[in-house]
Amino acid sequence: MLSVVILGTGNLAMHLFRAFSKSTGVQVVQVVGRNPESLHSFSAHVATTTDHTSIKDANVYIIAVKDDAITEVSHHLNGKKGVVVHTSGAVGMDALEPENRGVFYPLQTFTKGKDIDLEKVPICIEANEGQSLILLRSLAHTLSQNVHEVNSEQRKKLHLAAVFVNNFTNYLYGIGEEICMKEGLSFDLLKPLIQETAEKIQSMSPKEAQTGPARRNDQKSMQGHLKLLDNDKHIALYNLMSEAIKQVYEEKL
């Protein structure tokens, strides 16, 4: 059985803890955090500590903290025999101080109060030693069958792509919701459209799936939309995205 120490108490730390707790091949032996209150949700199930000098021995130390705190937290793990990993998509493996280091990056959005089944979630792993990579692959497979070896530069680009398809699109959902609310309309009216858009790219590329007035270069519809917008940022965003879409498809128009 693989032993794990989780350093961090945020959304990802909690999701990983819950997932590992259901696995017969992994034992979380400790959760480490700075804030005693944040450790309360873990303390009923596992040993916890705020003292970085009393971290237990484990096969893997998972640092699940903000990106700018990764190096500082890893400093407390110098000399540990287990492999030390962080969970960031945007930070290179070399941000970790210990010699035996790696990355354990679940490619998913994690929100407090929203459970996620990790079985199909891609887990991207990296390590600076062959045996550590084998260990991380075994650990990842206790959670998911979708495990990939991805180096730091590839992972940074993958994280960038994830920002476009998740963070930016969710912001656009927010604009759509705002427009609906101003007219007394339910955002639920748009959810079947959102679902179909997501399902469509399971069988075709996003470029093939693109529709809408900018794809058709329907100037009348686009000008009509712009007249309905009263937020300068939304107007600028509509123009920017419409122009970008038009340039992709201009040869076919």
Side-chain angles (χ1 to χ4, degrees), residues 130-198:
Q131 287 301 117
S132 296
L133 186 64
I134 293 172
L135 179 64
L136 294 181
R137 185 177 293 112
S138 297
L139 180 65
H141 275 297
T142 67
L143 301 181
S144 173
Q145 297 304 309
N146 196 354
V147 179
H148 304 268
E149 183 179 349
V150 178
N151 65 42
S152 288
E153 289 306 310
Q154 290 174 319
R155 190 177 63 258
K156 290 177 184 178
K157 296 291 181 64
L158 186 60
H159 186 263
L160 172 62
V163 167
F164 273 94
V165 303
N166 174 244
N167 305 137
F168 289 170
T169 55
N170 191 70
Y171 176 76
L172 296 177
Y173 294 159
I175 294 176
E177 182 181 42
E178 181 180 327
I179 292 170
C180 286
M181 289 177 64
K182 285 183 177 179
E183 294 303 316
L185 298 169
S186 172
F187 183 62
D188 289 346
L189 291 169
L190 294 176
K191 290 181 179 178
L193 175 63
I194 293 171
Q195 185 69 31
E196 174 60 18
T197 303

Side-chain angles (χ1 to χ4, degrees), residues 189-217:
L189 291 169
L190 294 176
K191 290 181 179 178
L193 175 63
I194 293 171
Q195 185 69 31
E196 174 60 18
T197 303
E199 290 179 355
K200 196 159 41 174
I201 59 169
Q202 304 301 317
S203 58
M204 63 177 67
S205 73
K207 188 174 181 180
E208 292 173 322
Q210 185 71 55
T211 61
R215 169 68 175 84
R216 303 187 301 271
N217 195 20

Side-chain angles (χ1 to χ4, degrees):
M1 179 175 287
L2 295 174
S3 58
V4 170
V5 169
I6 297 175
L7 296 97
T9 57
N11 290 333
L12 179 55
M14 178 56 76
H15 278 89
L16 288 175
F17 175 74
R18 288 174 177 170
F20 284 135
S21 297
K22 297 176 183 178
S23 171
T24 58
V26 178
Q27 180 184 11
V28 178
V29 297
Q30 189 180 46
V31 175
V32 182
R34 294 182 300 177
N35 188 336
E37 293 184 5
S38 299
L39 287 169
H40 283 168
S41 54
F42 298 92
S43 58
H45 311 284
V46 66
T48 62
T49 185
T50 59
D51 183 2
H52 286 97
T53 66
S54 61
I55 297 175
K56 294 187 176 184
D57 292 333
N59 298 122
V60 182
Y61 299 87
I62 300 178
I63 299 175
V65 299
K66 294 180 179 179
D67 289 0
D68 58 5
I70 288 173
T71 300
E72 177 188 352
V73 173
S74 75
H75 175 75
H76 300 289
L77 298 169
N78 281 323
K80 293 292 186 181
K81 293 182 179 179
V83 57
V84 177
V85 302
H86 70 64
T87 56
S88 172
V91 176
M93 180 173 61
D94 290 341
L96 297 166
E97 287 192 8
E99 293 185 8
N100 188 6
R101 57 186 181 267
V103 177
F104 191 89
Y105 170 51
L107 180 51
Q108 187 53 276
T109 175
F110 295 94
T111 304
K112 185 177 181 179
K114 176 66 170 62
D115 290 335
I116 291 178
D117 182 1
L118 292 175
E119 185 176 353
K120 295 182 180 180
V121 171
I123 297 181
C124 303
I125 59 172
E126 181 183 13
N128 65 336
E129 296 181 3
Q131 287 301 117
S132 296
L133 186 64
I134 293 172
L135 179 64
L136 294 181
R137 185 177 293 112
S138 297
L139 180 65
H141 275 297
T142 67
L143 301 181
S144 173
Q145 297 304 309
N146 196 354
V147 179
H148 304 268
E149 183 179 349
V150 178
N151 65 42
S152 288
E153 289 306 310
Q154 290 174 319
R155 190 177 63 258
K156 290 177 184 178
K157 296 291 181 64
L158 186 60
H159 186 263
L160 172 62
V163 167
F164 273 94
V165 303
N166 174 244
N167 305 137
F168 289 170
T169 55
N170 191 70
Y171 176 76
L172 296 177
Y173 294 159
I175 294 176
E177 182 181 42
E178 181 180 327
I179 292 170
C180 286
M181 289 177 64
K182 285 183 177 179
E183 294 303 316
L185 298 169
S186 172
F187 183 62
D188 289 346
L189 291 169
L190 294 176
K191 290 181 179 178
L193 175 63
I194 293 171
Q195 185 69 31
E196 174 60 18
T197 303
E199 290 179 355
K200 196 159 41 174
I201 59 169
Q202 304 301 317
S203 58
M204 63 177 67
S205 73
K207 188 174 181 180
E208 292 173 322
Q210 185 71 55
T211 61
R215 169 68 175 84
R216 303 187 301 271
N217 195 20
D218 183 347
Q219 291 292 331
K220 185 176 181 179
S221 291
M222 288 188 285
Q223 291 303 314
H225 287 163
L226 289 169
K227 290 178 181 178
L228 295 173
L229 292 170
D230 55 10
N231 183 306
D232 289 343
K233 290 182 180 179
H234 295 171
I235 292 171
L237 187 57
Y238 187 100
N239 279 324
L240 179 65
M241 297 192 70
S242 295
E243 186 59 33
I245 293 170
K246 283 165 55 182
Q247 289 181 9
V248 171
Y249 298 95
E250 60 185 355
E251 293 182 359
K252 298 181 179 181
L253 295 174

